[in-house]
């Protein structure tokens, strides 16, 4: 199973701690983790995965000349900018978004448009319609443990 963990490169301490814990939990379950291959939430989840001797693949938006986080097991260099978000979510069996940025929102939206996979939001975005009602689709979690349980369907 492959789980994409998405989140902003600029993240606060709480989101970084949640992302690291998500990485640890997924690695403990033998899940291959995909991330955007950058800093912030992406580096934190990679560090959590590697701390538990797991496998984490960075799907990079750039040409690979700048090094990614040292915690990555491997990188896929797309040189596609933010279009790599589609590659990331289409490569996953489920998606966990930690925190929020415009890039993270696009990953959540792309995963929901794809359909057929769990999309879990841990902190960050809550999308509402014109009447202020939550838009159906993403499942919201409060803890890293809950996010992983929802993403894995356990």
């Amino acid at each position: 199973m492959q789980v994409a963990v998405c989140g902003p490169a600029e993240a606060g301490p709480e989101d970084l701690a949640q992302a690291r814990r998500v990485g640890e939990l997924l690695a403990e379950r033998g899940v291959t983790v995909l991330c955007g291959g950058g800093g912030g939430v992406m580096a934190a989840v990679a560090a959590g995965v590697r701390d538990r001797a797991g496998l984490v693949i960075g799907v990079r938006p750039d040409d690979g000349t700048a090094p990614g986080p040292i915690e990555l097991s491997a990188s896929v260099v797309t040189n596609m900018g933010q279009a790599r978000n589609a590659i990331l979510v289409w490569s996953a069996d489920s998606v966990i978004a930690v925190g929020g940025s415009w890039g993270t929102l696009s990953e959540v939206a792309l995963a929901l448009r794809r359909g057929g996979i769990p999309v879990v939001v841990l902190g960050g975005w809550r999308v509402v319609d014109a009447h202020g009602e939550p838009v159906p689709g993403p499942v919201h979690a409060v803890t890293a443990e809950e996010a992983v349980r929802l993403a894995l369907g356990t």
Side-chain angles (χ1 to χ4, degrees), residues 39-104:
V41 163
M42 298 168 278
V45 74
V49 171
R50 293 294 289 217
D51 188 50
R52 298 295 194 268
L55 181 64
V56 58
I57 310 297
V59 181
R60 310 250 326 251
D62 55 17
D63 64 5
T65 55
I70 60 170
E71 294 86 359
L72 292 175
S73 304
S75 294
V76 175
V77 176
T78 68
N79 204 28
M80 295 182 67
Q82 293 300 305
R84 74 84 154 74
N85 294 352
I87 295 167
L88 181 62
V89 302
W90 272 96
S91 299
D93 299 304
S94 63
V95 173
I96 299 173
V98 180
S101 67
W102 289 115
T104 307

Side-chain angles (χ1 to χ4, degrees), residues 112-134:
L112 290 170
R113 289 286 294 172
R114 173 188 168 187
I117 63 170
V119 180
V120 181
V121 176
L122 178 57
W125 293 100
R126 291 195 177 262
V127 181
V128 296
D129 66 16
H131 305 288
E133 297 297 319

